[in-house]
Amino acid sequence: MQNSDYSYSPVRVAVIGGGAAGMMAAGTAVMYGAEVTIFESTDRLGKKLAITGKGRCNVTNNSTTAEFLESVTKNPRFLYAPLSALSTDETMTLFESLGVKLKTERGKRVYPETDKAKDIVDAMRAYSSGAEVIYKKVSAIKATDDGFTVTAGARDYSFDKVILATGGKSYPLTGSDGSGYKLAMRLGHSVTELIPSLIPINSPSQLCKDMQGLSLKNVRIEIKDEAEKVLYTDFGEMMFTHFGVTGPVILSASAHIRGVDISTLTLSIDLKPALDEQTLDQRLLSDFAKKTNKDLINSLGDLLPSKMIEPFIALSGVDGRKKVNSITKEERKAILSTLKAFRIPLDSFRPIEEAIVTSGGIEVKEISPKTMESKIVPGLYFAGEVIDVDAYTGGFNLQIAFSTGYLAGKSAAES
């Protein structure tokens, strides 16, 4: 009987992009026995991850799969298999095992207990530490008879499998510059229209400039069209800027009004959502009674932040220099109306480079949701924001990156 020598050669996997999806794909592929190389175009891994959630990193959402999919705005059904491969619970367990203690806040948003995105970035770097990292931008991917040739920094590298996890088109300074779409198109893939999502909104109103830097907490917003039909409503935090408005409720609203002419819309802010108009009127009368000889402009300090008082009075149409004791019932009604509906005209979205998420990407019909493998180019996989899936704020988009990254890494290594 003849002896045969069998030599095992691990699958060589290239991961293009060292963000959340790329690091998850790389670490998982290593765990399943692959030899992995990450190509990262910036000077470090996890650059965009480090600035998410205002530097706190809303890492996932502590919701069931059914609840999760309700918050996915594009192609939710495509995500059943990735979320089955790595659920929100399993993601939380993974980070806890990597030494990151987590906490759940309003809206089931999950953050590191330290409120530091750096802890999540460090954990992901540790998870993917078994992969080699080449800090060069990939300029070409070519399918060959026995795998792929990846060109980066004027040099060619050979691999059995490639995972494309280059991110979207938002935040180009962090490496998400849209180059992944071009690489995919050259390999025969289709890319759907790329539009900004979770993005601040411009306003033509001078009031925004006057209140620049002011944050409002616990307000209710409504986005209305010209017929006063409410297109979106939310409760939470927002901020005025030199160009218009931003903050969590504004970013979420932006995902709901894609495809609408923004210049026809109005933002209406209920500054006192906990009080109905009658209760608020009593509060106003009580405040006025204490300051009966003061000018209106000097009597609203208990109701409004100081930076908002002058813009508020301008919007109400009441004379700010009028004594409180001479305010008419109609003028008080105008003040109440402005407290319950502080209206700001909207104009347009900010540039896509300022979006948290790019809506659009690789056409999902061309990807197997069970493996993340291309249906067009065998051995090519996709993960993260480069795919045409996106969701609202609240940790959903990062979870999509982690789940698709995990499944792509596992599938590429096992194949």
Side-chain angles (χ1 to χ4, degrees), residues 82-401:
L83 285 168
S84 297
L86 185 74
S87 67
T88 56
D89 278 348
E90 287 165 332
T91 300
M92 291 165 70
T93 301
L94 173 62
F95 280 106
E96 295 268 1
S97 75
L98 291 166
V100 183
K101 288 193 166 129
L102 302 170
K103 60 181 177 179
T104 303
E105 295 187 359
R106 186 180 66 81
K108 300 187 178 182
R109 290 168 163 85
V110 178
Y111 293 91
E113 270 188 8
T114 58
D115 285 329
K116 289 179 180 172
K118 181 180 179 295
D119 292 348
I120 299 297
V121 176
D122 288 347
M124 286 310 299
R125 286 175 181 164
Y127 182 72
S128 59
S129 60
E132 180 190 359
V133 184
I134 294 174
Y135 291 100
K136 288 177 182 172
K137 186 174 178 123
V138 170
S139 56
I141 302 168
K142 186 181 177 186
T144 62
D145 291 339
D146 57 353
F148 295 87
T149 300
V150 173
T151 306
R155 186 181 155 190
D156 290 342
Y157 302 82
S158 295
F159 295 96
D160 301 310
K161 312 286 175 185
V162 170
I163 300 172
L164 201 60
T166 47
K169 203 177 176 184
S170 54
Y171 287 114
L173 293 177
T174 65
S176 295
D177 59 2
S179 59
Y181 303 123
K182 292 174 186 170
L183 293 171
M185 287 167 74
R186 286 187 206 130
L187 287 162
H189 274 273
S190 313
V191 175
T192 62
E193 184 188 5
L194 304 174
I195 56 175
S197 186
L198 306 184
I199 188 165
I201 303 175
N202 292 314
S203 168
S205 174
Q206 178 63 36
L207 296 178
C208 294
K209 289 188 179 72
D210 295 341
M211 294 183 288
Q212 179 180 339
L214 174 65
S215 282
L216 299 178
K217 292 184 178 178
N218 303 319
V219 294
R220 186 174 304 285
I221 67 151
E222 290 181 335
I223 305 282
K224 297 181 175 183
D225 65 13
E226 289 174 302
E228 291 292 294
K229 179 186 173 187
V230 177
L231 304 183
Y232 181 72
T233 185
D234 201 356
F235 176 88
E237 185 179 348
M238 61 162 289
M239 188 171 83
F240 295 101
T241 71
H242 66 286
F243 59 75
V245 285
T246 188
V249 295
I250 302 298
L251 298 177
S252 291
S254 72
H256 287 265
I257 54 176
R258 295 190 295 233
V260 180
D261 180 358
I262 313 298
S263 66
T264 64
L265 306 182
T266 301
L267 168 67
S268 179
I269 309 163
D270 184 345
L271 298 168
K272 300 293 172 186
L275 304 176
D276 60 30
E277 220 164 289
Q278 191 177 355
T279 310
L280 189 55
D281 194 21
Q282 291 303 312
R283 165 76 190 274
L284 201 56
L285 286 168
S286 171
D287 282 8
F288 283 179
K290 294 175 198 165
K291 302 167 183 179
T292 184
N293 292 315
K294 287 194 171 183
D295 291 351
L296 175 63
I297 200 166
N298 297 320
S299 67
L300 297 174
D302 293 339
L303 270 174
L304 297 168
S306 59
K307 202 168 190 176
M308 192 175 205
I309 292 172
E310 282 194 44
F312 176 90
I313 289 171
L315 196 59
S316 74
V318 182
D319 182 0
R321 291 298 163 194
K322 195 167 186 179
K323 297 293 181 192
V324 165
N325 57 20
S326 62
I327 297 280
T328 67
K329 189 176 180 181
E330 284 304 307
E331 287 171 330
R332 198 173 78 246
K333 195 173 176 184
I335 294 167
L336 280 172
S337 175
T338 310
L339 282 167
K340 297 299 282 181
F342 188 90
R343 294 170 70 90
I344 297 286
L346 300 178
D347 181 47
S348 57
F349 289 139
R350 296 293 289 166
I352 193 168
E353 290 77 16
E354 294 180 32
I356 291 177
V357 168
T358 305
S359 180
I362 310 299
E363 171 61 69
V364 296
K365 290 174 186 170
E366 300 171 356
I367 305 169
S368 165
K370 292 180 180 175
T371 60
M372 295 291 110
E373 186 175 14
S374 165
K375 293 178 180 178
I376 295 169
V377 184
L380 175 67
Y381 299 78
F382 297 98
E385 199 182 338
V386 75
I387 305 168
D388 184 19
V389 284
D390 61 271
Y392 302 138
T393 56
F396 301 103
N397 290 291
L398 262 184
Q399 181 62 50
I400 290 170

